Amino acid sequence: MIRWGIIGTDPNMPLRAGTLIGPYEILAPLGAGGMGEVYRARDGKLGRDVALKVIPDAFALDADRMARFEREAKALASLNHPNIAAIYGIEQGAIVMELVDGEDLKCPVPIETAIHYARQIASGLEAAHEKGIIHRDLKPANIKVTAEGTVKILDFGLAKATEKTASGTSGASPSISPTLSLTMTKAGVILGTAAYMSPEQARGKPVDKRADIWAYGVVLYEMLTGRRTFACDDITETLAAVVMREPDWSALPVGTPANIRRLLEMCLRKDPKLRLRDIGDARIQIDEPIRLPERSRPILPWAIAAVMTVVAIAMSTTWLATKTREDGRTVRFLFTLPEGTSEPLGLEAPQVVPSPDGRHLAFSARDAKTSQQFLWVQPLNSTSAQRLDNTEGANFPFWSPDAQSIGFFADEKLKRIAITGGSPQIICEARPGKESVAENGGTWNRDGTILFNYTRRSGLMQVSARGGPARPATELDASREETLHAWPQFLPDGRHFLYFAGSTDASRRGVFVQEVGSSTRVLVAANTSRGAWVATGHLLFVRQNTLFAQRMDSKTFQLEGEPIVVTQDVGEDTGNGRSAFAVSDNGVLAYRGGTHRGPRQVTWYDHEGKRLGTVGKPGEYLSLRLSPDEKSAAVTIGLPGHADTWIMDLSTGILTRMTQDSQDLNGFGAWSPDSRRMAISRADGETRELTVASGKTTIISKGSLAVGDWSPDGRWLLCSQLGRRLLLLPMTPGGADGAAKARTVLDTPSQKLHIRFSSDGQSVAYVSNEDEGNESDVYVASFPSFAEKRRVSLGGGYVPMWRADGKEIFYLAGNSTLMSAEIRTGSSIDVGGSRALFKTHVFGPWYGVTRDGKRFLVGEPQSGKAPQVTVVLNWLAELK
């Protein structure tokens, strides 16, 4: 037997021409793969050239693994398809394969060519999947194209065949990428494979054929765009991007057909349950003809591209909406805000709302220079939007049933204004008293009745559209621990209405139907964000950032059949029931992507706002926490309530993943004083302690607590229940019964959020709206008594931070300006006046301050990454 390595040949040296492996004579090297060297060889028996992949000795000398590999190879040899490079067998530790004379798949390619290749790749995958064989390492490097344009998929099934279990014995380990496990020293190979991994692979979960479907979508995207779907410079960032970032759909060529765009969207869904079910369906989608009436061809590029602005549909959208309904077609385009404006801050909510007749869009937008927010109206058959003057501060617009007026919230009042403009009419007070929000939508029926949310701790209110006093329409159910009723919508009879009921118990949140004047209600959908009824008789709702439609019985209001996926990646805030979609009565849908946060660049600033430098690469971080030793920052990556904690080394920018199950809550975490541990709140109600060096997690409480801050002596963790009950949780060994040992510090009717200890532990800074009639502001209070307190901010303040000596507090004002205030604590608390430092462009937990108060770490949003609002015409046709 002649075998390199086995016979003493240096394994780092290639085999020489003339070397024999069984009946195969080595002719020349072809290259190297993740599993070893590849050679062109001559089959002495059959007189044909083959490709010989010589397996490394570390693998070939493992008898158990080789035995399993040979069994797998026999199964792979049964694949006989023109788009799969055949495996002929194994000879003395080498894989004998079909020799494909062609080039590796190069990207980009013309659209027609990409579609031609995609059809062949799908055909090959389909043949393998029908035999139960999964590729699991599909990427351009494993695809060759012959001179005739025939696609051949290489290394089919070898990923699984070469795996090794954690114990070192052979066996299936479906959660590990083949390249990651076999070539850990080849960074380029690792990165290449990671870029094509499905999210479930990246998370280390078992995979099935849907992982191939994901990789197929990634390859198709790369063929069309010429760039990787998730392009990062190191494996950690790549895996993070795969798990939580959405593809840049705007990178697709303008002429990409709509059916191909739809195919990509279905292949690249994060949740495998919502992904394209069978690769054979991809061929059907590719071959689906696009039949458009002759006279609609002038606007075909816009309809297919789905990336043009309103200019591309000027003077034609009304006709197109009619034609799409007649022809049963669905058309999508991206809505862009007027030049010089930006979206309202921090709202997963329907801020772009189509009118009932589908002819206009109402939306709120901020002036980029003044940050003043106004109401705008965009006719769908016009090239420009009209700003409605005298609507400063407008939020959450909703339409009158005749589409001639718009209701909105501003200046602590509910108002209405005609779509042609003029002076708004005040309907009623909308924010009287503490803890009120009145920012959770309204609905207007043909009888002139308006329902709207009144305060965070109340039910819906009812008022006449002509104005007058508001009166209760619903009452909170204390037995369900309800916290608010919001997002009402009248049903067609004008008497019954949908609404969202929030609760401290997430399992009791849901959508209800109730009749005006009655206290009886029906639960329609549990454990979801707000709902919306549409003319087909379906209820629209969002779960885990996916918009579903499910038929609702018009008499019993019960859901029937199975939910249908309408689209993915829809913005959602489950606690307040917010979800970023809105619909008209006649088939216009507007929604905003769940990744509206966009990438953030971790950046250092000095006390005067001078940019000092950046750390790492931009990422879609949900929050940022600077460690006490200022060497690291904890960031959460994912979707709200479905995120993981990562640690960023501030000297290198390298990210290290700490948690694996996507259960961390955005922004709820605290560092220990020695920077060695973190406490993390989870969506399932647990509080966990994380050891940073090892990534080991320990359950410290199973009660539903939100982590606030770690005491300076390291002994206690300050937590809260709904922000109203503050507790000290002992950070001592004791397992998961920590909640039973917790000591209540304060029970208060007003929320206290973003709590931070002073360095001596004698004071806390926090955010509350406890003073009647005011926005949330920053306070300082003595701890633990709260006997003495002082307000620090006026007119709104968020996320306070202490300077280490306790003499200065920093916080964010409502316009994202970083503020500073001098503080003196001790026998009494004195607060100096606040002064502005610099504009940060952040409004949440995306900044940290060094101990000396001279530098600030900011998760700075990247310019040019505005959220995308998609408008869909005749989307109801997809339900039929």
Side-chain angles (χ1 to χ4, degrees):
M1 174 171 61
I2 300 176
R3 172 80 168 84
W4 74 298
I6 294 178
I7 62 173
T9 306
D10 185 349
N12 294 318
M13 297 293 292
L15 293 178
R16 293 187 296 273
T19 302
L20 291 176
I21 296 182
Y24 303 100
E25 179 184 357
I26 299 296
L27 300 178
L30 291 175
M35 290 175 50
E37 306 289 338
V38 184
Y39 297 88
R40 188 185 192 104
R42 185 70 175 174
D43 185 339
K45 292 182 178 179
L46 300 178
R48 62 179 177 182
D49 286 358
V50 297
L52 223 60
K53 179 169 285 192
V54 182
I55 303 172
D57 287 348
F59 179 90
L61 295 178
D62 186 328
D64 288 338
R65 294 177 72 188
M66 279 303 296
R68 180 176 181 273
F69 180 79
E70 289 180 2
R71 291 194 300 271
E72 294 287 347
K74 290 179 181 178
L76 299 174
S78 66
L79 289 177
N80 183 16
H81 191 275
N83 298 120
I84 298 176
I87 293 180
Y88 299 141
I90 297 177
E91 185 67 42
Q92 298 180 6
I95 310 165
V96 185
M97 302 180 296
E98 176 186 357
L99 178 65
V100 180
D101 283 324
E103 299 290 333
D104 288 350
L105 177 62
K106 299 294 192 298
C107 301
V109 295
I111 294 174
E112 296 78 6
T113 304
I115 294 173
H116 177 58
Y117 291 169
R119 185 183 291 107
Q120 296 182 68
I121 296 170
S123 181
L125 288 173
E126 182 181 18
H129 290 176
E130 287 177 350
K131 291 182 175 291
I133 297 173
I134 306 169
H135 193 293
R136 304 189 341 135
D137 197 20
L138 185 69
K139 54 190 176 184
N142 281 335
I143 300 171
K144 281 190 176 293
V145 182
T146 69
E148 294 77 23
T150 300
V151 168
K152 292 278 189 177
I153 307 174
L154 309 181
D155 285 357
F156 223 115
L158 296 184
K160 182 180 180 182
T162 57
E163 283 175 350
K164 185 175 183 178
T165 62
S167 63
T169 60
S170 60
S173 179
S175 64
I176 303 173
S177 163
T179 309
L180 289 176
S181 61
L182 292 172
T183 57
M184 291 301 290
T185 61
K186 298 183 180 180
V189 177
I190 292 174
L191 181 59
T193 291
Y196 303 91
M197 279 185 175
S198 64
E200 58 268 29
Q201 277 178 297
R203 293 180 188 274
K205 296 181 178 180
V207 301
D208 55 23
K209 65 182 181 181
R210 292 171 294 184
D212 280 355
I213 292 173
W214 170 277
Y216 172 83
V218 175
V219 171
L220 176 54
Y221 180 95
E222 192 168 331
M223 284 195 290
L224 291 167
T225 65
R227 67 189 200 187
R228 284 184 175 172
T229 315
F230 307 101
C232 301
D233 289 341
D234 66 55
I235 185 172
T236 302
E237 292 181 0
T238 299
L239 293 175
V242 168
V243 170
M244 48 73 67
R245 188 183 301 171
E246 289 299 314
D248 180 4
W249 300 116
S250 66
L252 292 170
V254 172
T256 305
N259 59 326
I260 300 302
R261 289 177 175 273
R262 177 64 174 163
L263 173 61
L264 283 169
E265 189 271 332
M266 290 191 292
C267 289
L268 295 179
R269 290 173 176 170
K270 304 290 187 185
D271 187 345
K273 295 179 181 178
L274 303 177
R275 204 172 296 154
L276 191 75
R277 302 295 296 179
D278 295 292
I279 195 64
D281 293 337
R283 292 192 300 103
I284 298 173
Q285 184 79 10
I286 291 171
D287 294 331
E288 179 181 315
I290 305 175
R291 298 188 181 95
L292 295 179
E294 192 69 20
R295 63 173 179 169
S296 69
R297 287 180 182 172
I299 57 169
L300 179 59
W302 161 75
I304 292 180
V307 295
M308 302 299 286
T309 63
V310 175
V311 174
I313 56 171
M315 308 307 294
S316 63
T317 307
T318 302
W319 170 83
L320 179 61
T322 301
K323 283 303 299 177
T324 53
R325 288 194 297 271
E326 292 174 355
D327 299 335
R329 293 184 291 111
T330 296
V331 175
R332 299 168 182 258
F333 65 91
L334 295 185
F335 171 81
T336 56
L337 292 173
E339 185 176 356
T341 67
S342 58
E343 72 155 359
L345 290 174
L347 302 173
E348 283 88 356
Q351 290 285 58
V352 177
V353 185
S355 60
D357 59 10
R359 294 177 178 271
H360 297 82
L361 298 174
F363 59 94
S364 298
R366 290 186 303 127
D367 185 284
K369 294 181 179 179
T370 66
S371 292
Q372 188 65 266
Q373 189 163 301
F374 289 89
L375 191 64
W376 294 70
V377 174
Q378 170 71 66
L380 282 176
N381 63 350
S382 173
T383 60
S384 61
Q386 174 191 359
R387 192 182 85 175
L388 301 184
D389 292 333
N390 305 310
T391 60
E392 291 88 344
N395 249 331
F396 299 99
F398 59 96
W399 288 88
S400 64
D402 63 4
Q404 297 303 303
S405 300
I406 302 171
F408 64 96
F409 301 94
D411 302 326
E412 303 183 1
K413 296 175 176 63
L414 172 61
K415 302 181 180 183
R416 62 180 287 184
I417 190 171
I419 64 170
T420 54
S423 297
Q425 173 191 342
I426 297 175
I427 297 176
C428 66
E429 296 291 321
R431 300 191 69 178
K434 59 185 179 181
E435 297 194 63
S436 56
V437 287
E439 290 182 344
N440 290 307
T443 185
W444 189 336
N445 73 3
R446 295 190 179 277
D447 295 333
T449 298
I450 291 177
L451 301 177
F452 67 100
N453 171 268
Y454 193 57
T455 70
R456 187 180 299 274
R457 302 291 295 181
S458 79
L460 297 173
M461 300 297 288
Q462 176 181 337
V463 68
S464 169
R466 295 186 296 272
R471 63 180 188 273
T474 65
E475 294 184 358
L476 301 182
D477 186 344
S479 68
R480 296 178 62 90
E481 302 178 46
E482 290 183 349
T483 56
L484 85 162
H485 290 168
W487 307 114
Q489 181 200 10
F490 275 113
L491 295 177
D493 65 5
R495 297 291 301 168
H496 291 87
F497 55 93
L498 291 165
Y499 64 93
F500 169 80
S503 171
T504 59
D505 183 346
S507 67
R508 293 180 173 180
R509 297 170 185 161
V511 176
F512 289 82
V513 166
Q514 193 165 325
E515 186 175 5
V516 175
S518 171
S519 60
T520 302
R521 63 179 184 170
V522 176
L523 176 63
V524 180
N527 193 26
T528 184
S529 300
R530 70 181 185 90
W533 184 90
V534 293
T536 57
H538 289 80
L539 180 76
L540 289 183
F541 58 91
V542 174
R543 281 200 184 114
Q544 296 187 4
N545 298 91
T546 298
L547 180 62
F548 292 93
Q550 190 168 359
R551 188 166 293 280
M552 184 178 78
D553 186 282
S554 60
K555 296 181 179 179
T556 65
F557 308 114
Q558 297 301 296
L559 297 182
E560 301 173 339
E562 295 297 321
I564 303 168
V565 174
V566 176
T567 190
Q568 286 190 302
D569 191 38
V570 177
E572 179 186 20
D573 179 347
T574 56
N576 289 321
R578 298 173 178 173
S579 45
F581 76 93
V583 291
S584 73
D585 292 342
N586 63 346
V588 177
L589 166 68
Y591 67 91
R592 184 179 63 176
T595 56
H596 64 278
R597 298 171 303 275
R600 294 180 177 273
Q601 176 66 67
V602 178
T603 307
W604 283 109
Y605 283 87
D606 68 9
H607 202 271
E608 285 68 46
K610 179 182 177 182
R611 207 166 189 256
L612 302 177
T614 61
V615 182
K617 295 188 176 297
E620 292 181 358
Y621 311 126
L622 296 178
S623 64
L624 178 151
R625 286 288 183 93
L626 178 65
S627 63
D629 63 10
E630 302 168 14
K631 295 180 180 180
S632 305
V635 296
T636 47
I637 299 176
L639 296 171
H642 306 282
D644 282 301
T645 297
W646 299 63
I647 302 297
M648 175 182 286
D649 185 319
L650 296 180
S651 63
T652 65
I654 294 175
L655 285 162
T656 303
R657 187 173 185 167
M658 293 286 106
T659 60
Q660 302 288 335
D661 51 7
S662 299
Q663 282 286 316
D664 300 352
L665 283 176
N666 165 34
F668 291 93
W671 285 95
S672 64
D674 60 8
S675 300
R676 295 180 179 179
R677 296 175 292 166
M678 285 201 73
I680 300 170
S681 296
R682 289 164 43 93
D684 61 6
E686 288 182 355
T687 303
R688 291 192 177 186
E689 178 185 333
L690 168 69
T691 303
V692 175
S694 64
K696 180 182 177 181
T697 59
T698 304
I699 299 173
I700 55 177
S701 172
K702 289 188 177 181
S704 184
L705 302 178
V707 171
D709 199 14
W710 211 304
S711 66
D713 60 10
R715 297 175 55 200
W716 302 92
L717 190 67
L718 184 58
C719 301
S720 70
Q721 288 180 332
L722 303 176
R724 293 181 174 83
R725 184 183 178 212
L726 304 184
L727 307 97
L728 283 174
L729 193 68
M731 295 304 291
T732 55
D737 58 347
K741 301 178 181 179
R743 176 163 60 93
T744 299
V745 175
L746 184 71
D747 260 322
T748 171
S750 58
Q751 288 188 323
K752 290 176 170 53
L753 307 172
H754 303 297
I755 301 177
R756 299 288 185 274
F757 278 110
S758 61
S759 58
D760 61 6
Q762 300 302 303
S763 304
V764 290
Y766 61 93
V767 173
S768 180
N769 56 356
E770 57 197 51
D771 287 322
E772 190 77 22
N774 284 285
E775 301 279 354
S776 293
D777 275 302
V778 174
Y779 294 79
V780 171
S782 55
F783 187 85
S785 68
F786 283 83
E788 185 178 8
K789 71 175 181 181
R790 294 289 184 274
R791 188 192 299 180
V792 177
S793 66
L794 292 174
Y798 309 89
V799 196
M801 301 280 183
W802 292 86
R803 195 171 75 192
D805 61 6
K807 296 181 179 180
E808 188 176 17
I809 278 184
F810 306 96
Y811 65 91
L812 292 172
N815 62 356
S816 303
T817 298
L818 187 65
M819 307 293 290
S820 166
E822 293 184 357
I823 301 290
R824 189 183 70 184
T825 60
S827 57
S828 64
I829 299 174
D830 293 319
V831 178
S834 296
R835 64 188 180 97
L837 298 182
F838 59 92
K839 188 84 169 179
T840 66
H841 303 290
V842 301
F843 54 88
W846 286 292
Y847 87 100
V849 59
T850 56
R851 293 177 59 80
D852 59 10
K854 294 181 178 180
R855 291 188 303 145
F856 302 89
L857 192 67
V858 178
E860 188 174 58
Q862 296 297 280
S863 60
K865 299 292 184 181
Q868 293 185 340
V869 174
T870 301
V871 177
V872 189
L873 305 181
N874 196 32
W875 73 274
L876 293 174
E878 296 184 353
L879 294 183
K880 300 175 182 178

